[in-house]
């Protein structure tokens, strides 16, 4: 990585971490703020959260083309400003319509940030450094979210709406700080590993992407990953823990803290392991780890041990999920970029972000009721989904070139020249 690319990457990472820090101030308290502080009720809070998610689903299909045509920097700046306006709007909202509208604006802005930041990281990295760059982003974002949540918890006062306005104000300022930082970045344009689709077909947009079988398989795999893990954290798994394992709300907080702590501690410990191995096998290993996590959750709620053992098993479930997340962060996002043909990195990043949002929308809707009432079927279902991750990852590996599957081989010209025929776009 050149000195210019390194300087640009450092600024992007700092901006990304600060925006996550701002988001951490509000995300844990959004439901309480709408339902209790603004006294709009649980129904209104649910609609506000749904508006936040639906806005992302609306804007992401158009985000990729905007990034590829205009570049990630102007799109990121515009999204940061939009998100800042939405945060201020939520802090000032006193009625259900204004809260819903503000949540939609905030959701649209934050949704666009993800693929824009990912594309900037791709442009400021090489295939050899991309794995470490995305791992660093994931580490800093989780650290920012955790610290923001801790500080926000000290500021917030459920009996004082003004304290929430301060939280949303801090979030809004952090979005503007992100915009200010990235405006100082001089964007280089790094090479990609986009052998998967011929360069001549890069203008095909969504049609090209849908014809790229490796990318389609990665999107299916991504949906299962986010559905079976992230989509359960604050819905099905927490409901299961309370109803089946007798876990208290305070213990749920400890479990989430264990998840974040595992990510922070394990991220760079597993990075060397990940960098030297095939991406498809790393993702397959995550499926096995998460299967063990669901077995631990099953013991917590369905076993006949003591409450202390059930609590320990439940906290271990979240910690094991964190271990898997630390292995995925330097694996999946760089693979999306390396599959993208020239001129379509933004489209590929946005498509994968859309898949993630769909999984995060469907996951709670399916897992919440099951976790609360169908305890045995819930564990078996998501245990099978985790094993499905392993199967899908190994299947995906057969469609990747050696360098796409293991970027550490990129320096070998022999490997590059002897790569199997790329998976071209197929009708």
């Amino acid at each position: 990585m050149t000195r210019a690319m390194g300087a640009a990457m450092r600024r992007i990472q700092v901006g990304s971490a600060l925006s996550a820090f701002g988001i951490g101030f509000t995300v844990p308290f959004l439901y309480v703020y709408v339902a209790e502080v603004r006294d709009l009720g649980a129904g209104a809070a649910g609609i506000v959260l749904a508006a936040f998610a639906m806005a992302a689903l609306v804007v992401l299909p158009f985000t990729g083309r905007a990034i590829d045509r205009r570049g990630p920097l102007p799109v990121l700046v515009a999204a940061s400003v939009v998100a800042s306006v939405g945060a201020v709007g939520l802090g000032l909202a006193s009625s259900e319509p204004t809260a819903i509208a503000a949540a939609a604006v905030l959701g649209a802005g934050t949704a666009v940030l993800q693929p824009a930041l990912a594309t900037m990281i791709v442009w400021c990295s090489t295939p050899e450094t991309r794995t470490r760059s995305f791992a660093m982003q994931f580490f800093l974002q989780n650290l920012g979210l955790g610290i923001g949540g801790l500080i926000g918890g000290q500021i917030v006062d459920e009996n004082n709406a003004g304290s929430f306005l301060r939280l949303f104000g801090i979030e809004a300022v952090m979005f503007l700080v992100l915009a200010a930082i990235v405006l100082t970045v001089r964007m280089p344009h790094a090479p990609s590993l986009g052998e998967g689709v011929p360069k001549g077909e890069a203008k095909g947009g969504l049609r090209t992407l849908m014809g790229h079988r490796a990318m389609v398989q990665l999107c299916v795999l991504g949906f299962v990953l986010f559905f079976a893990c992230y989509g359960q954290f604050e819905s099905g798994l927490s409901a299961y823990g309370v109803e089946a394992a007798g876990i208290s709300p305070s213990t749920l907080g400890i479990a989430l803290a264990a998840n974040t702590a595992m990510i922070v501690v394990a991220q760079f410990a597993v990075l060397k392991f990940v960098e030297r191995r095939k991406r498809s096998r790393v993702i397959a290993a995550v499926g096995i780890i998460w299967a063990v996590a669901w077995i631990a959750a099953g013991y917590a709620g369905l076993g006949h041990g003591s409450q202390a053992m059930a609590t320990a098993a439940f906290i271990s479930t979240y910690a094991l999920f964190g271990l898997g997340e630390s292995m995925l962060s330097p694996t999946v996002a760089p693979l999306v970029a390396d599959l993208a043909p020239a001129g379509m990195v933004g489209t590929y990043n946005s498509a994968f972000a859309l898949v993630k949002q769909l999984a995060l929308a469907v996951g709670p809707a399916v897992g919440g009721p099951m976790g609360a009432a169908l305890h045995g079927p819930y564990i078996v279902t998501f245990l099978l989904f985790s094993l499905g991750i392993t199967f899908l990852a190994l299947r995906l590996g057969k469609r990747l070139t050696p360098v796409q599957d293991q970027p550490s081989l990129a320096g070998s010209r022999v490997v590059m020249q002897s790569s199997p025929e790329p998976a071209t776009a197929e009708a």
Side-chain angles (χ1 to χ4, degrees):
M1 182 182 294
T2 66
R3 182 176 299 180
M5 291 174 67
M9 181 65 73
R10 285 191 292 272
R11 296 184 186 188
I12 294 168
Q13 298 285 25
V14 169
S16 175
L18 289 175
S19 66
F21 173 70
I23 292 171
F25 273 86
T26 62
V27 167
F29 316 110
L30 186 56
Y31 181 89
V32 172
Y33 169 70
V34 176
E36 299 180 11
V37 177
R38 290 300 184 183
D39 198 26
L40 298 177
I47 295 173
V48 166
L49 293 172
F52 185 90
M54 290 303 297
L57 298 179
V58 170
V59 299
L60 281 172
F62 307 99
T63 300
R65 178 168 293 186
I67 292 174
D68 290 332
R69 287 185 174 182
R70 304 293 182 183
L73 197 153
V75 173
L76 180 60
V77 171
S80 298
V81 174
V82 169
S84 181
V85 171
V88 172
L90 262 178
L92 296 173
S94 58
S95 65
E96 183 173 341
T98 55
I100 293 171
V105 173
L106 178 59
T110 54
V112 176
L113 291 179
Q114 180 181 344
L117 278 169
T119 304
M120 291 186 76
I121 290 175
V122 172
W123 283 21
C124 294
S125 64
T126 65
E128 294 83 358
T129 63
R130 201 160 289 151
T131 295
R132 188 168 292 269
S133 297
F134 276 101
M136 177 62 74
Q137 185 202 28
F138 186 73
F139 169 80
L140 291 175
Q141 283 186 333
N142 275 276
L143 191 61
L145 283 169
I147 295 175
L150 287 173
I151 298 177
Q154 302 304 310
I155 296 175
V156 70
D157 181 357
E158 294 183 19
N159 299 314
N160 181 10
S163 67
F164 283 87
L165 180 57
R166 284 194 291 273
L167 295 185
F168 284 107
I170 293 170
E171 181 182 31
V173 170
M174 289 299 103
F175 286 131
L176 296 179
V177 169
L178 168 62
I181 290 175
V182 298
L183 281 172
T184 67
V185 174
R186 296 181 61 184
M187 292 296 296
H189 209 126
S192 69
L193 291 180
E195 302 104 327
V197 180
K199 291 184 179 180
E201 300 183 23
K203 296 181 180 180
L206 185 60
R207 183 177 180 181
T208 296
L209 187 151
M210 294 303 295
H212 188 183
R213 289 195 175 182
M215 183 59 187
V216 171
Q217 287 187 14
L218 179 58
C219 286
V220 172
L221 173 59
F223 182 90
V224 177
L225 283 168
F226 293 114
F227 176 78
C229 175
Y230 299 91
Q232 304 307 312
F233 272 2
E234 297 177 5
S235 58
L237 189 55
S238 58
Y240 168 85
V242 171
E243 299 296 337
I247 301 299
S248 67
S250 60
T251 302
L252 283 177
I254 294 173
L256 286 168
N259 174 264
T260 301
M262 176 62 79
I263 291 171
V264 171
V265 171
Q267 183 64 85
F268 294 101
V270 304
L271 186 56
K272 291 184 178 180
F273 170 84
V274 170
E275 286 179 318
R276 297 173 183 175
R277 283 162 178 81
K278 293 182 177 181
R279 287 166 166 170
S280 57
R281 293 183 181 178
V282 171
I283 300 172
V286 171
I288 299 298
I289 292 171
W290 285 357
V292 174
W294 284 108
I295 291 173
Y299 172 79
L302 305 174
H304 301 288
S306 65
Q307 185 59 46
M309 292 294 291
T311 299
F314 191 76
I315 294 174
S316 297
T317 298
Y318 277 78
L320 287 169
F321 276 130
L323 177 60
E325 291 174 75
S326 67
M327 296 169 65
L328 288 176
S329 62
T331 306
V332 176
L335 179 55
V336 173
D338 290 346
L339 285 174
M344 288 189 65
V345 175
T347 297
Y348 273 52
N349 279 326
S350 296
F352 196 78
L354 178 61
V355 168
K356 177 180 178 180
Q357 287 295 329
L358 286 170
L360 294 180
V362 175
V366 174
M370 288 187 68
L374 303 173
H375 303 148
Y378 177 69
I379 294 298
V380 171
T381 297
F382 286 93
L383 172 62
L384 292 176
F385 267 106
S386 296
L387 295 176
I389 291 170
T390 300
F391 170 78
L392 291 171
L394 294 176
R395 185 182 178 192
L396 172 64
K398 297 177 181 179
R399 288 203 170 270
L400 302 177
T401 66
V403 180
Q404 287 171 341
D405 205 12
Q406 191 172 347
S408 60
L409 301 176
S412 172
R413 297 185 65 181
V414 174
V415 171
M416 293 287 286
Q417 293 171 0
S418 63
S419 299
E421 183 179 352
T424 57
E426 301 181 31

